[in-house]
Amino acid sequence: MKECRIRQAAVLLRQTQATIAEIANQVGYENQRKLSTAFRDIIMITPAEYRKQNIGE
């Protein structure tokens, strides 16, 4: 379940202009910090770093 949420967050980071806090809420995390921790566990970088590396894909 955690990995599924993180994969969906990754798609939203690449394809939308939503804030990381908004994305956290959309994929079921209560706040940005919890999403960031889970994202780092799976993707190995923060959501902000991921977005910078994947802009426009």
PDB file of all heavy atoms in Angstrom, residues 9-48:
ATOM      1  N   ALA A   9       2.106   9.443  -5.889  1.00  0.00           N
ATOM      2  CA  ALA A   9       2.656  10.764  -5.566  1.00  0.00           C
ATOM      3  C   ALA A   9       3.707  11.164  -6.590  1.00  0.00           C
ATOM      4  O   ALA A   9       3.765  12.324  -7.015  1.00  0.00           O
ATOM      5  CB  ALA A   9       3.253  10.756  -4.160  1.00  0.00           C
ATOM      6  N   ALA A  10       4.524  10.215  -7.024  1.00  0.00           N
ATOM      7  CA  ALA A  10       5.555  10.495  -8.024  1.00  0.00           C
ATOM      8  C   ALA A  10       4.920  10.960  -9.335  1.00  0.00           C
ATOM      9  O   ALA A  10       5.394  11.916  -9.960  1.00  0.00           O
ATOM     10  CB  ALA A  10       6.426   9.261  -8.253  1.00  0.00           C
ATOM     11  N   VAL A  11       3.841  10.320  -9.741  1.00  0.00           N
ATOM     12  CA  VAL A  11       3.131  10.727 -10.960  1.00  0.00           C
ATOM     13  C   VAL A  11       2.613  12.156 -10.798  1.00  0.00           C
ATOM     14  O   VAL A  11       2.779  12.992 -11.690  1.00  0.00           O
ATOM     15  CB  VAL A  11       1.964   9.755 -11.276  1.00  0.00           C
ATOM     16  CG1 VAL A  11       1.063  10.321 -12.362  1.00  0.00           C
ATOM     17  CG2 VAL A  11       2.512   8.397 -11.683  1.00  0.00           C
ATOM     18  N   LEU A  12       2.016  12.446  -9.664  1.00  0.00           N
ATOM     19  CA  LEU A  12       1.474  13.788  -9.427  1.00  0.00           C
ATOM     20  C   LEU A  12       2.585  14.839  -9.389  1.00  0.00           C
ATOM     21  O   LEU A  12       2.408  15.948  -9.880  1.00  0.00           O
ATOM     22  CB  LEU A  12       0.658  13.812  -8.129  1.00  0.00           C
ATOM     23  CG  LEU A  12      -0.627  12.986  -8.164  1.00  0.00           C
ATOM     24  CD1 LEU A  12      -1.234  12.867  -6.776  1.00  0.00           C
ATOM     25  CD2 LEU A  12      -1.624  13.575  -9.141  1.00  0.00           C
ATOM     26  N   LEU A  13       3.721  14.481  -8.819  1.00  0.00           N
ATOM     27  CA  LEU A  13       4.849  15.416  -8.788  1.00  0.00           C
ATOM     28  C   LEU A  13       5.327  15.753 -10.199  1.00  0.00           C
ATOM     29  O   LEU A  13       5.699  16.889 -10.479  1.00  0.00           O
ATOM     30  CB  LEU A  13       6.007  14.835  -7.968  1.00  0.00           C
ATOM     31  CG  LEU A  13       5.810  14.833  -6.455  1.00  0.00           C
ATOM     32  CD1 LEU A  13       6.804  13.897  -5.788  1.00  0.00           C
ATOM     33  CD2 LEU A  13       5.926  16.245  -5.900  1.00  0.00           C
ATOM     34  N   ARG A  14       5.324  14.756 -11.068  1.00  0.00           N
ATOM     35  CA  ARG A  14       5.773  14.971 -12.451  1.00  0.00           C
ATOM     36  C   ARG A  14       4.743  15.705 -13.290  1.00  0.00           C
ATOM     37  O   ARG A  14       5.099  16.501 -14.137  1.00  0.00           O
ATOM     38  CB  ARG A  14       6.075  13.626 -13.131  1.00  0.00           C
ATOM     39  CG  ARG A  14       7.329  12.958 -12.655  1.00  0.00           C
ATOM     40  CD  ARG A  14       7.747  11.812 -13.572  1.00  0.00           C
ATOM     41  NE  ARG A  14       6.683  10.884 -13.908  1.00  0.00           N
ATOM     42  CZ  ARG A  14       6.372   9.788 -13.227  1.00  0.00           C
ATOM     43  NH1 ARG A  14       7.045   9.466 -12.140  1.00  0.00           N
ATOM     44  NH2 ARG A  14       5.398   9.002 -13.621  1.00  0.00           N
ATOM     45  N   GLN A  15       3.476  15.420 -13.075  1.00  0.00           N
ATOM     46  CA  GLN A  15       2.448  15.857 -14.022  1.00  0.00           C
ATOM     47  C   GLN A  15       1.566  16.999 -13.556  1.00  0.00           C
ATOM     48  O   GLN A  15       0.742  17.474 -14.331  1.00  0.00           O
ATOM     49  CB  GLN A  15       1.571  14.654 -14.390  1.00  0.00           C
ATOM     50  CG  GLN A  15       2.348  13.573 -15.099  1.00  0.00           C
ATOM     51  CD  GLN A  15       1.502  12.372 -15.466  1.00  0.00           C
ATOM     52  OE1 GLN A  15       0.332  12.288 -15.110  1.00  0.00           O
ATOM     53  NE2 GLN A  15       2.096  11.435 -16.181  1.00  0.00           N
ATOM     54  N   THR A  16       1.699  17.429 -12.312  1.00  0.00           N
ATOM     55  CA  THR A  16       0.863  18.529 -11.827  1.00  0.00           C
ATOM     56  C   THR A  16       1.723  19.605 -11.192  1.00  0.00           C
ATOM     57  O   THR A  16       2.900  19.396 -10.916  1.00  0.00           O
ATOM     58  CB  THR A  16      -0.169  18.049 -10.775  1.00  0.00           C
ATOM     59  OG1 THR A  16       0.514  17.765  -9.549  1.00  0.00           O
ATOM     60  CG2 THR A  16      -0.950  16.838 -11.249  1.00  0.00           C
ATOM     61  N   GLN A  17       1.095  20.735 -10.946  1.00  0.00           N
ATOM     62  CA  GLN A  17       1.736  21.831 -10.232  1.00  0.00           C
ATOM     63  C   GLN A  17       1.290  21.880  -8.774  1.00  0.00           C
ATOM     64  O   GLN A  17       1.588  22.838  -8.063  1.00  0.00           O
ATOM     65  CB  GLN A  17       1.389  23.161 -10.921  1.00  0.00           C
ATOM     66  CG  GLN A  17       1.917  23.271 -12.335  1.00  0.00           C
ATOM     67  CD  GLN A  17       3.433  23.199 -12.384  1.00  0.00           C
ATOM     68  OE1 GLN A  17       4.111  23.836 -11.593  1.00  0.00           O
ATOM     69  NE2 GLN A  17       3.963  22.408 -13.299  1.00  0.00           N
ATOM     70  N   ALA A  18       0.587  20.845  -8.326  1.00  0.00           N
ATOM     71  CA  ALA A  18       0.109  20.803  -6.942  1.00  0.00           C
ATOM     72  C   ALA A  18       1.292  20.855  -5.980  1.00  0.00           C
ATOM     73  O   ALA A  18       2.370  20.349  -6.275  1.00  0.00           O
ATOM     74  CB  ALA A  18      -0.701  19.527  -6.707  1.00  0.00           C
ATOM     75  N   THR A  19       1.069  21.469  -4.832  1.00  0.00           N
ATOM     76  CA  THR A  19       2.124  21.514  -3.823  1.00  0.00           C
ATOM     77  C   THR A  19       2.342  20.115  -3.255  1.00  0.00           C
ATOM     78  O   THR A  19       1.470  19.235  -3.361  1.00  0.00           O
ATOM     79  CB  THR A  19       1.766  22.468  -2.671  1.00  0.00           C
ATOM     80  OG1 THR A  19       0.642  21.922  -1.961  1.00  0.00           O
ATOM     81  CG2 THR A  19       1.460  23.870  -3.170  1.00  0.00           C
ATOM     82  N   ILE A  20       3.474  19.933  -2.623  1.00  0.00           N
ATOM     83  CA  ILE A  20       3.760  18.637  -2.012  1.00  0.00           C
ATOM     84  C   ILE A  20       2.749  18.352  -0.903  1.00  0.00           C
ATOM     85  O   ILE A  20       2.299  17.213  -0.749  1.00  0.00           O
ATOM     86  CB  ILE A  20       5.219  18.585  -1.518  1.00  0.00           C
ATOM     87  CG1 ILE A  20       6.156  18.658  -2.731  1.00  0.00           C
ATOM     88  CG2 ILE A  20       5.481  17.317  -0.700  1.00  0.00           C
ATOM     89  CD1 ILE A  20       7.617  18.863  -2.407  1.00  0.00           C
ATOM     90  N   ALA A  21       2.336  19.371  -0.174  1.00  0.00           N
ATOM     91  CA  ALA A  21       1.315  19.190   0.865  1.00  0.00           C
ATOM     92  C   ALA A  21      -0.016  18.728   0.257  1.00  0.00           C
ATOM     93  O   ALA A  21      -0.679  17.840   0.798  1.00  0.00           O
ATOM     94  CB  ALA A  21       1.121  20.478   1.651  1.00  0.00           C
ATOM     95  N   GLU A  22      -0.397  19.315  -0.879  1.00  0.00           N
ATOM     96  CA  GLU A  22      -1.640  18.903  -1.555  1.00  0.00           C
ATOM     97  C   GLU A  22      -1.530  17.469  -2.049  1.00  0.00           C
ATOM     98  O   GLU A  22      -2.479  16.681  -1.921  1.00  0.00           O
ATOM     99  CB  GLU A  22      -1.933  19.831  -2.733  1.00  0.00           C
ATOM    100  CG  GLU A  22      -2.348  21.229  -2.316  1.00  0.00           C
ATOM    101  CD  GLU A  22      -2.374  22.227  -3.466  1.00  0.00           C
ATOM    102  OE1 GLU A  22      -1.739  21.995  -4.523  1.00  0.00           O
ATOM    103  OE2 GLU A  22      -3.034  23.260  -3.293  1.00  0.00           O
ATOM    104  N   ILE A  23      -0.380  17.117  -2.586  1.00  0.00           N
ATOM    105  CA  ILE A  23      -0.171  15.752  -3.074  1.00  0.00           C
ATOM    106  C   ILE A  23      -0.214  14.773  -1.910  1.00  0.00           C
ATOM    107  O   ILE A  23      -0.819  13.696  -2.014  1.00  0.00           O
ATOM    108  CB  ILE A  23       1.146  15.652  -3.864  1.00  0.00           C
ATOM    109  CG1 ILE A  23       0.994  16.419  -5.191  1.00  0.00           C
ATOM    110  CG2 ILE A  23       1.530  14.193  -4.107  1.00  0.00           C
ATOM    111  CD1 ILE A  23       2.276  16.593  -5.969  1.00  0.00           C
ATOM    112  N   ALA A  24       0.392  15.134  -0.801  1.00  0.00           N
ATOM    113  CA  ALA A  24       0.352  14.274   0.393  1.00  0.00           C
ATOM    114  C   ALA A  24      -1.091  13.962   0.761  1.00  0.00           C
ATOM    115  O   ALA A  24      -1.455  12.799   0.988  1.00  0.00           O
ATOM    116  CB  ALA A  24       1.068  14.948   1.565  1.00  0.00           C
ATOM    117  N   ASN A  25      -1.913  14.985   0.782  1.00  0.00           N
ATOM    118  CA  ASN A  25      -3.327  14.810   1.112  1.00  0.00           C
ATOM    119  C   ASN A  25      -4.032  13.932   0.093  1.00  0.00           C
ATOM    120  O   ASN A  25      -4.816  13.051   0.446  1.00  0.00           O
ATOM    121  CB  ASN A  25      -3.991  16.192   1.208  1.00  0.00           C
ATOM    122  CG  ASN A  25      -5.381  16.118   1.760  1.00  0.00           C
ATOM    123  OD1 ASN A  25      -6.300  15.703   1.070  1.00  0.00           O
ATOM    124  ND2 ASN A  25      -5.529  16.532   2.997  1.00  0.00           N
ATOM    125  N   GLN A  26      -3.745  14.142  -1.184  1.00  0.00           N
ATOM    126  CA  GLN A  26      -4.402  13.381  -2.254  1.00  0.00           C
ATOM    127  C   GLN A  26      -4.082  11.894  -2.196  1.00  0.00           C
ATOM    128  O   GLN A  26      -4.911  11.067  -2.572  1.00  0.00           O
ATOM    129  CB  GLN A  26      -4.000  13.927  -3.624  1.00  0.00           C
ATOM    130  CG  GLN A  26      -4.591  15.271  -3.940  1.00  0.00           C
ATOM    131  CD  GLN A  26      -4.101  15.819  -5.273  1.00  0.00           C
ATOM    132  OE1 GLN A  26      -3.750  15.078  -6.174  1.00  0.00           O
ATOM    133  NE2 GLN A  26      -4.069  17.131  -5.377  1.00  0.00           N
ATOM    134  N   VAL A  27      -2.876  11.535  -1.773  1.00  0.00           N
ATOM    135  CA  VAL A  27      -2.497  10.117  -1.752  1.00  0.00           C
ATOM    136  C   VAL A  27      -2.658   9.483  -0.368  1.00  0.00           C
ATOM    137  O   VAL A  27      -2.294   8.334  -0.172  1.00  0.00           O
ATOM    138  CB  VAL A  27      -1.075   9.876  -2.315  1.00  0.00           C
ATOM    139  CG1 VAL A  27      -0.995  10.311  -3.769  1.00  0.00           C
ATOM    140  CG2 VAL A  27      -0.005  10.549  -1.475  1.00  0.00           C
ATOM    141  N   GLY A  28      -3.211  10.241   0.580  1.00  0.00           N
ATOM    142  CA  GLY A  28      -3.595   9.637   1.856  1.00  0.00           C
ATOM    143  C   GLY A  28      -2.649   9.845   3.024  1.00  0.00           C
ATOM    144  O   GLY A  28      -2.780   9.167   4.046  1.00  0.00           O
ATOM    145  N   TYR A  29      -1.731  10.795   2.912  1.00  0.00           N
ATOM    146  CA  TYR A  29      -0.872  11.115   4.052  1.00  0.00           C
ATOM    147  C   TYR A  29      -1.431  12.342   4.745  1.00  0.00           C
ATOM    148  O   TYR A  29      -1.933  13.247   4.095  1.00  0.00           O
ATOM    149  CB  TYR A  29       0.580  11.352   3.609  1.00  0.00           C
ATOM    150  CG  TYR A  29       1.281  10.059   3.290  1.00  0.00           C
ATOM    151  CD1 TYR A  29       1.284   9.545   1.997  1.00  0.00           C
ATOM    152  CD2 TYR A  29       1.899   9.313   4.284  1.00  0.00           C
ATOM    153  CE1 TYR A  29       1.892   8.344   1.704  1.00  0.00           C
ATOM    154  CE2 TYR A  29       2.516   8.112   4.005  1.00  0.00           C
ATOM    155  CZ  TYR A  29       2.505   7.630   2.709  1.00  0.00           C
ATOM    156  OH  TYR A  29       3.104   6.430   2.432  1.00  0.00           O
ATOM    157  N   GLU A  30      -1.324  12.369   6.074  1.00  0.00           N
ATOM    158  CA  GLU A  30      -1.944  13.479   6.796  1.00  0.00           C
ATOM    159  C   GLU A  30      -1.171  14.776   6.686  1.00  0.00           C
ATOM    160  O   GLU A  30      -1.729  15.845   6.904  1.00  0.00           O
ATOM    161  CB  GLU A  30      -2.199  13.118   8.255  1.00  0.00           C
ATOM    162  CG  GLU A  30      -0.968  12.818   9.067  1.00  0.00           C
ATOM    163  CD  GLU A  30      -1.321  12.371  10.473  1.00  0.00           C
ATOM    164  OE1 GLU A  30      -1.732  11.212  10.624  1.00  0.00           O
ATOM    165  OE2 GLU A  30      -1.158  13.180  11.399  1.00  0.00           O
ATOM    166  N   ASN A  31       0.113  14.697   6.314  1.00  0.00           N
ATOM    167  CA  ASN A  31       0.865  15.928   6.113  1.00  0.00           C
ATOM    168  C   ASN A  31       2.075  15.697   5.204  1.00  0.00           C
ATOM    169  O   ASN A  31       2.424  14.561   4.888  1.00  0.00           O
ATOM    170  CB  ASN A  31       1.282  16.565   7.447  1.00  0.00           C
ATOM    171  CG  ASN A  31       2.158  15.659   8.277  1.00  0.00           C
ATOM    172  OD1 ASN A  31       3.128  15.086   7.787  1.00  0.00           O
ATOM    173  ND2 ASN A  31       1.815  15.511   9.557  1.00  0.00           N
ATOM    174  N   GLN A  32       2.694  16.786   4.816  1.00  0.00           N
ATOM    175  CA  GLN A  32       3.821  16.753   3.891  1.00  0.00           C
ATOM    176  C   GLN A  32       5.016  16.005   4.479  1.00  0.00           C
ATOM    177  O   GLN A  32       5.713  15.283   3.774  1.00  0.00           O
ATOM    178  CB  GLN A  32       4.209  18.192   3.554  1.00  0.00           C
ATOM    179  CG  GLN A  32       5.379  18.327   2.627  1.00  0.00           C
ATOM    180  CD  GLN A  32       5.651  19.778   2.255  1.00  0.00           C
ATOM    181  OE1 GLN A  32       4.769  20.616   2.345  1.00  0.00           O
ATOM    182  NE2 GLN A  32       6.852  20.059   1.837  1.00  0.00           N
ATOM    183  N   ARG A  33       5.238  16.162   5.747  1.00  0.00           N
ATOM    184  CA  ARG A  33       6.381  15.514   6.392  1.00  0.00           C
ATOM    185  C   ARG A  33       6.278  13.989   6.319  1.00  0.00           C
ATOM    186  O   ARG A  33       7.257  13.301   6.045  1.00  0.00           O
ATOM    187  CB  ARG A  33       6.485  15.982   7.837  1.00  0.00           C
ATOM    188  CG  ARG A  33       7.692  15.452   8.536  1.00  0.00           C
ATOM    189  CD  ARG A  33       7.777  16.008   9.940  1.00  0.00           C
ATOM    190  NE  ARG A  33       9.100  15.720  10.455  1.00  0.00           N
ATOM    191  CZ  ARG A  33       9.697  16.413  11.367  1.00  0.00           C
ATOM    192  NH1 ARG A  33       9.114  17.463  11.885  1.00  0.00           N
ATOM    193  NH2 ARG A  33      10.884  16.072  11.792  1.00  0.00           N
ATOM    194  N   LYS A  34       5.099  13.460   6.571  1.00  0.00           N
ATOM    195  CA  LYS A  34       4.915  12.000   6.519  1.00  0.00           C
ATOM    196  C   LYS A  34       5.102  11.476   5.095  1.00  0.00           C
ATOM    197  O   LYS A  34       5.691  10.415   4.890  1.00  0.00           O
ATOM    198  CB  LYS A  34       3.556  11.606   7.089  1.00  0.00           C
ATOM    199  CG  LYS A  34       3.514  11.838   8.582  1.00  0.00           C
ATOM    200  CD  LYS A  34       2.266  11.306   9.214  1.00  0.00           C
ATOM    201  CE  LYS A  34       2.298  11.661  10.683  1.00  0.00           C
ATOM    202  NZ  LYS A  34       1.903  10.620  11.564  1.00  0.00           N
ATOM    203  N   LEU A  35       4.601  12.226   4.116  1.00  0.00           N
ATOM    204  CA  LEU A  35       4.821  11.837   2.726  1.00  0.00           C
ATOM    205  C   LEU A  35       6.317  11.860   2.413  1.00  0.00           C
ATOM    206  O   LEU A  35       6.838  10.922   1.817  1.00  0.00           O
ATOM    207  CB  LEU A  35       4.078  12.757   1.763  1.00  0.00           C
ATOM    208  CG  LEU A  35       4.439  12.557   0.281  1.00  0.00           C
ATOM    209  CD1 LEU A  35       4.014  11.184  -0.213  1.00  0.00           C
ATOM    210  CD2 LEU A  35       3.833  13.651  -0.576  1.00  0.00           C
ATOM    211  N   SER A  36       6.997  12.912   2.814  1.00  0.00           N
ATOM    212  CA  SER A  36       8.425  13.042   2.515  1.00  0.00           C
ATOM    213  C   SER A  36       9.229  11.889   3.103  1.00  0.00           C
ATOM    214  O   SER A  36      10.120  11.342   2.453  1.00  0.00           O
ATOM    215  CB  SER A  36       8.964  14.375   3.037  1.00  0.00           C
ATOM    216  OG  SER A  36       8.418  15.435   2.291  1.00  0.00           O
ATOM    217  N   THR A  37       8.917  11.501   4.323  1.00  0.00           N
ATOM    218  CA  THR A  37       9.623  10.384   4.965  1.00  0.00           C
ATOM    219  C   THR A  37       9.386   9.085   4.200  1.00  0.00           C
ATOM    220  O   THR A  37      10.329   8.354   3.889  1.00  0.00           O
ATOM    221  CB  THR A  37       9.161  10.236   6.430  1.00  0.00           C
ATOM    222  OG1 THR A  37       9.472  11.446   7.120  1.00  0.00           O
ATOM    223  CG2 THR A  37       9.846   9.063   7.106  1.00  0.00           C
ATOM    224  N   ALA A  38       8.132   8.806   3.866  1.00  0.00           N
ATOM    225  CA  ALA A  38       7.802   7.582   3.136  1.00  0.00           C
ATOM    226  C   ALA A  38       8.406   7.618   1.727  1.00  0.00           C
ATOM    227  O   ALA A  38       8.924   6.607   1.236  1.00  0.00           O
ATOM    228  CB  ALA A  38       6.281   7.415   3.052  1.00  0.00           C
ATOM    229  N   PHE A  39       8.356   8.767   1.093  1.00  0.00           N
ATOM    230  CA  PHE A  39       8.890   8.924  -0.267  1.00  0.00           C
ATOM    231  C   PHE A  39      10.383   8.634  -0.266  1.00  0.00           C
ATOM    232  O   PHE A  39      10.894   7.916  -1.126  1.00  0.00           O
ATOM    233  CB  PHE A  39       8.607  10.357  -0.748  1.00  0.00           C
ATOM    234  CG  PHE A  39       8.686  10.529  -2.235  1.00  0.00           C
ATOM    235  CD1 PHE A  39       7.546  10.417  -3.015  1.00  0.00           C
ATOM    236  CD2 PHE A  39       9.883  10.815  -2.866  1.00  0.00           C
ATOM    237  CE1 PHE A  39       7.602  10.595  -4.394  1.00  0.00           C
ATOM    238  CE2 PHE A  39       9.959  10.991  -4.238  1.00  0.00           C
ATOM    239  CZ  PHE A  39       8.810  10.877  -5.003  1.00  0.00           C
ATOM    240  N   ARG A  40      11.092   9.177   0.713  1.00  0.00           N
ATOM    241  CA  ARG A  40      12.535   8.961   0.821  1.00  0.00           C
ATOM    242  C   ARG A  40      12.855   7.486   1.060  1.00  0.00           C
ATOM    243  O   ARG A  40      13.846   6.975   0.546  1.00  0.00           O
ATOM    244  CB  ARG A  40      13.105   9.823   1.952  1.00  0.00           C
ATOM    245  CG  ARG A  40      14.311  10.589   1.548  1.00  0.00           C
ATOM    246  CD  ARG A  40      14.918  11.484   2.615  1.00  0.00           C
ATOM    247  NE  ARG A  40      14.360  11.441   3.947  1.00  0.00           N
ATOM    248  CZ  ARG A  40      13.568  12.370   4.460  1.00  0.00           C
ATOM    249  NH1 ARG A  40      13.226  13.429   3.771  1.00  0.00           N
ATOM    250  NH2 ARG A  40      13.114  12.247   5.682  1.00  0.00           N
ATOM    251  N   ASP A  41      12.033   6.805   1.830  1.00  0.00           N
ATOM    252  CA  ASP A  41      12.245   5.368   2.092  1.00  0.00           C
ATOM    253  C   ASP A  41      12.182   4.546   0.806  1.00  0.00           C
ATOM    254  O   ASP A  41      12.911   3.577   0.652  1.00  0.00           O
ATOM    255  CB  ASP A  41      11.182   4.827   3.060  1.00  0.00           C
ATOM    256  CG  ASP A  41      11.376   5.298   4.492  1.00  0.00           C
ATOM    257  OD1 ASP A  41      12.464   5.827   4.806  1.00  0.00           O
ATOM    258  OD2 ASP A  41      10.428   5.138   5.286  1.00  0.00           O
ATOM    259  N   ILE A  42      11.317   4.928  -0.114  1.00  0.00           N
ATOM    260  CA  ILE A  42      11.102   4.141  -1.329  1.00  0.00           C
ATOM    261  C   ILE A  42      11.904   4.668  -2.521  1.00  0.00           C
ATOM    262  O   ILE A  42      12.543   3.891  -3.228  1.00  0.00           O
ATOM    263  CB  ILE A  42       9.592   4.099  -1.657  1.00  0.00           C
ATOM    264  CG1 ILE A  42       8.890   3.386  -0.523  1.00  0.00           C
ATOM    265  CG2 ILE A  42       9.339   3.474  -3.023  1.00  0.00           C
ATOM    266  CD1 ILE A  42       7.572   2.792  -0.743  1.00  0.00           C
ATOM    267  N   ILE A  43      11.883   5.962  -2.749  1.00  0.00           N
ATOM    268  CA  ILE A  43      12.515   6.550  -3.937  1.00  0.00           C
ATOM    269  C   ILE A  43      13.959   6.981  -3.656  1.00  0.00           C
ATOM    270  O   ILE A  43      14.742   7.190  -4.576  1.00  0.00           O
ATOM    271  CB  ILE A  43      11.672   7.749  -4.458  1.00  0.00           C
ATOM    272  CG1 ILE A  43      10.216   7.347  -4.676  1.00  0.00           C
ATOM    273  CG2 ILE A  43      12.256   8.330  -5.742  1.00  0.00           C
ATOM    274  CD1 ILE A  43       9.957   6.378  -5.805  1.00  0.00           C
ATOM    275  N   MET A  44      14.300   7.133  -2.398  1.00  0.00           N
ATOM    276  CA  MET A  44      15.653   7.498  -1.942  1.00  0.00           C
ATOM    277  C   MET A  44      16.007   8.977  -2.083  1.00  0.00           C
ATOM    278  O   MET A  44      17.149   9.359  -1.846  1.00  0.00           O
ATOM    279  CB  MET A  44      16.755   6.666  -2.640  1.00  0.00           C
ATOM    280  CG  MET A  44      16.575   5.187  -2.505  1.00  0.00           C
ATOM    281  SD  MET A  44      16.534   4.723  -0.762  1.00  0.00           S
ATOM    282  CE  MET A  44      16.260   2.984  -0.894  1.00  0.00           C
ATOM    283  N   ILE A  45      15.060   9.800  -2.488  1.00  0.00           N
ATOM    284  CA  ILE A  45      15.240  11.245  -2.485  1.00  0.00           C
ATOM    285  C   ILE A  45      13.933  11.885  -2.017  1.00  0.00           C
ATOM    286  O   ILE A  45      12.899  11.225  -1.980  1.00  0.00           O
ATOM    287  CB  ILE A  45      15.643  11.806  -3.877  1.00  0.00           C
ATOM    288  CG1 ILE A  45      14.600  11.458  -4.942  1.00  0.00           C
ATOM    289  CG2 ILE A  45      17.034  11.343  -4.281  1.00  0.00           C
ATOM    290  CD1 ILE A  45      14.876  12.076  -6.312  1.00  0.00           C
ATOM    291  N   THR A  46      13.986  13.159  -1.689  1.00  0.00           N
ATOM    292  CA  THR A  46      12.771  13.836  -1.229  1.00  0.00           C
ATOM    293  C   THR A  46      11.840  14.130  -2.401  1.00  0.00           C
ATOM    294  O   THR A  46      12.287  14.175  -3.549  1.00  0.00           O
ATOM    295  CB  THR A  46      13.104  15.168  -0.528  1.00  0.00           C
ATOM    296  OG1 THR A  46      13.647  16.071  -1.495  1.00  0.00           O
ATOM    297  CG2 THR A  46      14.063  14.973   0.632  1.00  0.00           C
ATOM    298  N   PRO A  47      10.568  14.366  -2.119  1.00  0.00           N
ATOM    299  CA  PRO A  47       9.648  14.735  -3.192  1.00  0.00           C
ATOM    300  C   PRO A  47      10.106  15.989  -3.950  1.00  0.00           C
ATOM    301  O   PRO A  47       9.980  16.053  -5.173  1.00  0.00           O
ATOM    302  CB  PRO A  47       8.318  14.979  -2.468  1.00  0.00           C
ATOM    303  CG  PRO A  47       8.412  14.137  -1.241  1.00  0.00           C
ATOM    304  CD  PRO A  47       9.856  14.178  -0.847  1.00  0.00           C
ATOM    305  N   ALA A  48      10.638  16.975  -3.246  1.00  0.00           N
ATOM    306  CA  ALA A  48      11.102  18.207  -3.912  1.00  0.00           C
ATOM    307  C   ALA A  48      12.260  17.909  -4.865  1.00  0.00           C
ATOM    308  O   ALA A  48      12.293  18.408  -5.994  1.00  0.00           O
ATOM    309  CB  ALA A  48      11.516  19.240  -2.873  1.00  0.00           C
TER     310      ALA A  48
END
